[in-house]
Amino acid sequence: MGGPTLAQSRISTEPVLSAGDDLDVLVAFSREAYDAHRSEVRKGGVILYDSGGFQVDDDDNTLGLPIDELAKSTGNPRAANMVLLGAIAHLVNMPEEYLPDFVMKRFNRGRAGDVAVIKANIMALSLGREQARSRGFSIGELELPQKPEFEQIMVKGNDAISLGAVAAGLDTFIGYPISPATAILVFMERNLIGPGKFAYQASSELEAINAVLGAGYAGKKAMTATSGPGLSLMSEGLGMGWMMEIPVVVVDVQRGGPATGLPTKTEQSDLLAALNPAHGDARFPIIAPGTVEECFYATVKAINWAERYQGPVIVLSEQVFAERNQNIPKPDLDKLVIERRKVYSGERGYRRYEGADLSPMPLPGGPGSYVANASEHDPMGDTTHLAHRHVEMTERRFNKLKLLEDGTYEGEHQEEPIALMPWGASKGPAREAYNIMRERGQRVGWYYTMYLHPLPPKLLEELRQKELVLVPELNYQGQFASILRSQGVRAEAITQYNGLPFKVRDLVARVTERAKSPKGVMVRA
Amino acid sequence: MTLALKDISAQEELLAPGHGLCPGCAHPVVVREVLHALNKPAVVSMATGCLEVSTTRFPRTAWRTSMIHSAFENSATTIGGVEAAYKALVRRGAMEEQDIAFVVFAGDGATYDIGFQWLSGALERGHRFIYICLNNEGYMNTGIQRSGATILGAWTTTTPAGKVVPGKTEWRKDMTRIIAAHDIPFVAQTTVHSWKDLMTKVRQADAAGGPTFINVLSPCARGWRYEPQDTMSISRLAVDTCMWPLYEVDNGEWKLNYKPREKKPVTEWLKSQGRFSHLLRPENLPVVEEIQRRVDREWENLLQRCGKS
């Protein structure tokens, strides 16, 4: 669709936790971009713009570059971005050799034109640098990068999810295109190959969920990925998975809802839907990553959980992670714990749904044939509506959730009576806000877990002791706070529902304000 | 039923310029051809897709007629509800009978795949509406994925072409024929460059007085990998290679609307688009032969159904 697009970068010698509040540098390629974003530039920040394309009222902090003209003068009109990179490099006092080094590596591709391309690009860099220098702009010096002791990979949230799934032994992926989850389907079509591996595109989300249920029934580790509207369509299938006790993983990369909603904006508003996507008595395990790195581990854990308790698990990711490209410590695959379901290998005449606890799962072709039944059933899987069977089976299905109480959590300053506890992608801005408040001497504790259901029992115990637990979350209802309250925690949400992530400064202000008089939890009517 | 460009150009545009569809996109041309052919008040239902996201954005909504956006799968059902409500209102005397067209615009993903069951139901119930499938042979709005309309061998992001797999491994659904099997008053297949054919069919559909379906091939420069200015010539090539024959099924009667003087080989079609470029490598010759075989078979069957063989 022809509309404005933007890309944002944040550079730090410390781990980057959020997108940041203000811009140090805005590069505007059009008047529309300039008008829309100039107010986001911090005091002392600089606006670079294409003076060949449009004019602005010359302000102190603007630097117009005729980028196309400058690029053409290098002999390579496509070097326009390098002109801008050169200017930015000067603004942050980046050592001069970095970018030419990069250009030489990037364009040394063994092609005939490589030398000319490299020469033009390096010239473009220095032209940009000169322009910025001549205006005397600087926005301060970047600290020198420090090479970490661990190996890193550059990865997007959706790719981290895909890699996590593959690392956990995913066999089958069946998906359907939907923003912002499509990249997972595309990854799987390209990479989930080899003996026993299988990926395909279904013709709807209804088909996708039921196909992965079939694969899960047949003994495969199976996953699908979608966003809110797709999760809605999958609700019936998820209920079946719960009822039939079939391991599958559903990734929901949340976008703004309801309905078609805001396909390209972020929101944390599918939590209640993910917890209870299906009608009837069921409550689904949920793991919600809070960083790009956690996208990897959340998915590994989700597949393990599905195998372990034999049922559907939902990974609740977010639009902000989908395309966020970040350097993260390279996961150590040798240290990953990979689980496989308990498979039945005994005699014939097996009662698959016997008892109050998990029982080994028979696989087609093996012993212990049974009816995987979406209707209420007896231990053999045969349909029954007898009252005591429904009681037994309902309790059995909920009882299995106890197997998933091994989630970990973060806790800092646990002695404080007031705690900040974000979930999902609000972790980053909340952590920055927390750091600022602690530095200022404000008394607030920190809790965080990606295991939203079931919550780690010890965490819940600690939270119940608090005077107030503040939950920053991107939805109107304060969904996670309401879940915590239902479990006896004095929780209150700090909500935002504009399709954008929290700004750190807003969180600092709102938490500070609320923490002044912690007595009495406000509940939105 | 005359169609003169002079008259058409004097009509009001119900799809305003300034929308965000890509350069070279055939969708707005098709939509305007449809609305001009109708030249009367139209209630439009749109499934989620390229057309919907690009023509409804604040502050540049391009629609100068009533438009209801549905989800991805249910535009046929939505328009069915609108039409049923209109009929009920007229019956009760709450509304005067008017000459209104009920139109659906939906992509091939919404038509061939996720919305198939819903479309089938609406056709069977007999609502009076014109369903236009804007068929660009893939999910272009989410970034070029395969659909049931994508042909064998085509590259998409979910049917990547590599050393082992040469793009999509399946043929395509013959959706027009599937719809014809519903035995509704009017079903047709057409494409964007043949504006007279397209507009005549829209008028036939409008006059048919029941559920009608027109499958319009709508070339996509981005997804098919060709230069935006080539949309019309590629549309023509689809017809001349018999990749996309123009025909109609009017109350059960099959009629061929155009027979190329010289049927061009499918390689002409394949060569015109980057999504097939890997097929031109010698090792993929069997795929090309299979495509030709499929096209030939469909063409022969069509001629037979139209009594032309």
Side-chain angles (χ1 to χ4, degrees):
Chain A
M1 170 174 61
T5 59
L6 67 85
Q8 192 181 340
S9 291
R10 195 178 188 197
I11 308 167
S12 175
T13 50
E14 291 177 2
V16 171
L17 299 172
S18 77
D21 287 2
D22 303 306
L23 301 177
D24 295 301
V25 181
L26 170 68
V27 180
F29 288 96
S30 68
R31 179 79 208 198
E32 195 177 3
Y34 173 80
D35 289 337
H37 298 289
R38 57 185 298 197
S39 64
E40 294 162 29
V41 179
R42 73 165 167 84
K43 214 168 171 235
V46 177
I47 301 175
L48 302 179
Y49 70 97
D50 177 16
S51 60
F54 64 100
Q55 291 303 313
V56 301
D57 310 323
D58 213 2
D59 207 31
D60 292 344
N61 67 335
T62 56
L63 171 55
L65 298 170
I67 45 178
D68 288 328
E69 197 182 304
L70 290 170
K72 261 184 217 151
S73 75
T74 70
N76 181 359
R78 290 164 71 183
N81 54 347
M82 291 295 168
V83 174
L84 287 161
L85 276 177
I88 296 169
H90 170 77
L91 292 177
V92 297
N93 283 337
M94 185 186 276
E96 293 213 10
E97 68 275 15
Y98 282 14
L99 288 176
D101 277 357
F102 163 77
V103 165
M104 277 186 264
K105 280 188 190 136
R106 173 71 181 75
F107 295 105
N108 199 350
R109 298 164 294 188
R111 294 186 199 163
D114 282 359
V115 176
V117 170
I118 290 170
K119 203 174 147 211
N121 276 310
I122 290 177
M123 190 176 158
L125 285 170
S126 58
L127 284 174
R129 192 181 275 277
E130 279 313 311
Q131 291 272 338
R133 201 201 314 272
S134 66
R135 284 290 304 270
F137 280 128
S138 173
I139 55 163
E141 200 148 337
L142 273 190
E143 285 171 51
L144 285 179
Q146 293 147 6
K147 202 169 180 189
E149 285 157 21
F150 48 84
E151 215 179 320
Q152 299 191 92
I153 56 170
M154 192 81 175
V155 70
K156 291 178 181 174
N158 275 347
D159 288 343
I161 286 170
S162 306
L163 290 167
V166 171
L170 185 74
D171 299 302
T172 305
F173 183 93
I174 297 151
Y176 186 68
I178 185 167
S179 302
T182 308
I184 301 172
L185 168 64
V186 172
F187 178 101
M188 294 300 174
E189 289 278 7
R190 296 185 73 93
N191 296 298
L192 194 65
I193 48 177
K197 306 290 179 184
F198 195 55
Y200 72 81
Q201 181 185 324
S203 67
S204 73
E205 286 92 350
L206 296 177
E207 201 185 15
I209 183 67
N210 287 291
V212 290
L213 281 172
Y217 163 78
K220 295 288 187 183
K221 290 185 175 182
M223 184 170 103
T224 184
T226 187
S227 188
L231 184 72
S232 295
L233 288 177
M234 289 182 186
S235 63
E236 183 192 46
L238 279 164
M240 274 173 49
W242 170 269
M243 195 72 167
M244 303 191 294
E245 303 189 28
I246 291 176
V248 290
V249 171
V250 174
V251 178
D252 172 13
V253 186
Q254 297 169 91
R255 64 193 211 184
T260 311
L262 300 92
T264 58
K265 297 284 179 189
T266 209
E267 207 164 80
Q268 301 178 290
S269 55
D270 289 354
L271 178 57
L272 294 177
L275 201 57
N276 293 90
H279 62 274
D281 243 350
R283 204 164 167 89
F284 289 75
I286 296 173
I287 308 179
T291 62
V292 169
E293 185 180 8
E294 285 176 14
C295 285
F296 178 89
Y297 293 103
T299 313
V300 172
K301 193 71 168 192
I303 290 178
N304 283 346
W305 271 15
E307 291 287 308
R308 192 194 299 165
Y309 101 111
Q310 297 174 14
V313 176
I314 293 170
V315 175
L316 216 45
S317 184
E318 289 163 54
Q319 187 271 344
V320 282
F321 292 143
E323 299 292 319
R324 180 181 293 175
N325 212 357
Q326 191 163 7
N327 50 331
I328 65 167
K330 185 177 173 184
D332 185 346
L333 299 186
D334 294 334
K335 284 197 181 139
L336 289 183
V337 177
I338 306 298
E339 300 181 32
R340 277 236 164 248
R341 73 192 73 174
K342 287 197 177 96
V343 174
Y344 180 70
S345 58
E347 299 300 310
R348 291 177 176 194
Y350 179 53
R351 296 159 75 84
R352 191 265 181 272
Y353 299 114
E354 176 95 278
D357 300 306
L358 182 90
S359 43
M361 188 173 167
L363 300 182
S369 67
Y370 71 109
V371 180
N373 198 338
S375 297
E376 191 54 286
H377 40 262
D378 71 3
M380 293 295 289
D382 295 340
T383 300
T384 173
H385 296 172
L386 287 173
H388 77 278
R389 288 298 186 204
H390 186 47
V391 172
E392 269 169 39
M393 289 296 157
T394 301
E395 288 173 0
R396 170 192 162 88
R397 289 187 288 265
F398 276 96
N399 201 32
K400 290 193 302 169
L401 291 174
K402 292 207 181 80
L403 298 168
L404 310 182
E405 290 180 347
D406 63 333
T408 51
Y409 64 96
E410 297 173 11
E412 272 178 45
H413 288 286
Q414 283 145 293
E415 74 287 355
E416 299 289 1
I418 301 175
L420 188 59
M421 186 177 174
W423 68 276
S426 293
K427 180 189 186 184
R431 182 67 201 191
E432 284 189 48
Y434 169 80
N435 290 345
I436 289 169
M437 288 186 289
R438 289 304 306 188
E439 268 170 41
R440 285 187 193 169
Q442 281 173 255
R443 297 195 51 193
V444 59
W446 168 265
Y447 286 96
Y448 168 79
T449 185
M450 60 176 175
Y451 304 100
L452 302 188
H453 182 242
L455 283 165
K458 205 170 154 292
L459 168 65
L460 196 54
E461 213 173 283
E462 280 189 56
L463 293 175
R464 283 178 180 143
Q465 311 305 316
K466 300 291 158 195
E467 262 177 53
L468 179 62
V469 176
L470 288 171
V471 181
E473 51 185 323
L474 299 174
N475 59 65
Y476 176 82
Q477 302 176 79
Q479 298 188 2
F480 188 50
S482 76
I483 292 165
L484 288 175
R485 281 198 299 277
S486 76
Q487 297 180 69
V489 177
R490 282 178 287 270
E492 191 177 307
I494 293 176
T495 62
Q496 178 176 302
Y497 34 90
N498 58 358
L500 300 170
F502 281 111
K503 283 195 188 295
V504 175
R505 95 163 71 80
D506 293 345
L507 279 181
V508 169
R510 293 175 71 180
V511 172
T512 304
E513 179 59 29
R514 185 62 191 103
K516 274 184 196 157
S517 51
K519 291 279 183 284
V521 171
M522 292 197 305
V523 178
R524 192 192 297 278
Chain B
M1 211 185 295
T2 54
L3 279 167
L5 284 173
K6 198 177 154 209
D7 301 336
I8 294 164
S9 62
Q11 289 171 9
E12 192 195 358
E13 290 284 355
L14 294 183
L15 184 78
H19 53 69
L21 286 157
C22 301
C25 176
H27 280 11
V29 186
V30 175
V31 171
R32 289 171 57 224
E33 284 169 351
V34 170
L35 296 175
H36 277 301
L38 291 169
N39 194 28
K40 63 165 131 177
V43 183
V44 172
S45 169
M46 267 196 300
T48 297
C50 288
L51 180 71
E52 176 263 320
V53 300
S54 304
T55 57
T56 58
R57 252 178 26 145
F58 179 83
R60 288 194 292 255
T61 301
W63 292 90
R64 290 183 180 143
T65 188
S66 304
M67 199 280 291
I68 178 166
H69 171 212
S70 70
F72 202 2
E73 65 278 10
N74 52 345
S75 49
T77 316
T78 303
I79 207 72
V82 174
E83 187 256 1
Y86 166 76
K87 277 200 327 211
L89 287 169
V90 170
R91 208 163 41 230
R92 264 199 279 137
M95 198 174 170
E96 269 181 49
E97 193 161 2
Q98 296 166 52
D99 192 11
I100 300 176
F102 299 95
V103 185
V104 172
F105 290 106
D108 49 290
T111 306
Y112 283 60
D113 293 353
I114 193 169
F116 179 45
Q117 170 189 342
W118 309 61
L119 171 57
S120 180
L123 297 175
E124 189 261 339
R125 283 190 303 274
H127 297 286
R128 178 172 69 83
F129 67 104
I130 305 169
Y131 190 104
I132 306 288
C133 176
L134 296 166
N135 179 2
N136 56 18
E137 300 190 339
Y139 293 79
M140 304 317 188
N141 185 37
T142 42
I144 317 167
Q145 288 86 35
R146 61 90 91 189
S147 78
T150 311
I151 74 156
L152 176 75
W155 163 91
T156 69
T157 60
T158 49
T159 53
K163 284 190 186 120
V164 181
V165 182
K168 195 184 171 202
T169 51
E170 302 84 21
W171 183 230
R172 67 178 170 197
K173 282 187 203 176
D174 190 345
M175 193 63 179
T176 313
R177 191 150 65 98
I178 294 168
I179 298 299
H182 287 70
D183 206 13
I184 54 174
F186 187 76
V187 179
Q189 192 164 285
T190 184
T191 179
V192 61
H193 80 276
S194 52
W195 63 273
K196 248 186 175 162
D197 182 75
L198 193 155
M199 292 178 79
T200 305
K201 282 169 178 168
V202 171
R203 291 206 175 160
Q204 284 173 275
D206 186 42
T212 55
F213 176 89
I214 305 176
N215 200 348
V216 186
L217 189 73
S218 183
C220 170
R222 288 282 303 129
W224 295 9
R225 299 296 198 229
Y226 65 81
E227 294 299 320
Q229 66 270 23
D230 295 339
T231 295
M232 294 302 158
S233 57
I234 281 178
S235 168
R236 188 181 302 277
L237 212 43
V239 177
D240 285 338
T241 54
C242 296
M243 182 60 84
W244 194 257
L246 308 183
Y247 67 93
E248 65 193 49
V249 187
D250 192 349
N251 283 301
E253 204 171 306
W254 291 68
K255 187 178 162 199
L256 191 70
N257 304 115
Y258 174 81
K259 193 172 182 182
R261 213 166 294 157
E262 181 201 357
K263 183 176 163 217
K264 290 185 176 166
V266 292
T267 43
E268 297 287 308
W269 164 257
L270 302 176
K271 272 193 289 192
S272 68
Q273 299 152 54
R275 62 174 171 155
F276 299 119
S277 60
H278 56 283
L279 295 184
L280 306 175
R281 295 200 301 261
E283 68 268 28
N284 288 327
L285 184 66
V287 182
V288 176
E289 287 171 347
E290 174 64 9
I291 295 170
Q292 186 68 63
R293 197 183 66 77
R294 291 276 195 167
V295 168
D296 290 347
R297 195 174 73 183
E298 286 187 357
W299 177 244
E300 290 306 321
N301 287 342
L302 178 64
L303 290 179
Q304 216 163 46
R305 272 191 290 272
C306 296
K308 297 267 182 190
S309 59

